[in-house]
Amino acid sequence: MDPREVLLGIDLDELAEPKRSARSRRSVSNAQKRENDDVDLVEQVKQLRRTVEHDHDQRLRGIEINIRWLMVLVGGEVLAIVGFALSSVASV
């Protein structure tokens, strides 16, 4: 038997739900399930959005700090080059 056929025959909803009696399963309507799933999905999307925004904010702050340090180092390099040029001209 092909393992893919076995996997296709499995009811994933039944595996995800805790075992309940047939009566209790019938008592919860499909509309309530869909509404709960929609609410859960919206909450998960909101949580994902907050996580992504926080992560991107931290990365952008790190990039900003790196750019500031780079500008300080470039400014120091320019001053060193100008100072060397002036000292070499003044010594001639």
Side-chain angles (χ1 to χ4, degrees):
M1 177 178 269
D2 188 13
R4 291 175 289 184
E5 290 177 12
V6 173
L7 291 175
L8 289 174
I10 294 175
D11 185 14
L12 296 178
D13 292 333
E14 199 171 288
L15 290 175
E17 290 180 0
K19 297 293 182 190
R20 291 187 254 164
S21 67
R23 272 187 286 154
S24 64
R25 270 190 243 151
R26 279 186 236 128
S27 65
V28 177
S29 69
N30 287 336
Q32 288 176 337
K33 283 184 179 180
R34 275 189 243 130
E35 184 178 319
N36 289 339
D37 289 345
D38 289 344
V39 171
D40 291 342
L41 182 62
V42 169
E43 288 301 317
Q44 289 176 0
V45 169
K46 286 180 182 178
Q47 178 64 31
L48 180 63
R49 178 181 176 194
R50 285 191 294 269
T51 302
V52 168
E53 285 176 349
H54 179 71
D55 186 42
H56 284 211
D57 188 44
Q58 283 183 335
R59 288 182 182 185
L60 289 175
R61 284 183 190 167
I63 291 170
E64 183 181 356
I65 290 169
N66 289 341
I67 289 174
R68 286 182 183 174
W69 273 109
L70 181 63
M71 295 307 297
V72 168
L73 293 174
V74 167
E77 189 72 24
V78 168
L79 287 176
I81 291 171
V82 170
F84 177 75
L86 289 176
S87 67
S88 64
V89 170
S91 64
V92 173

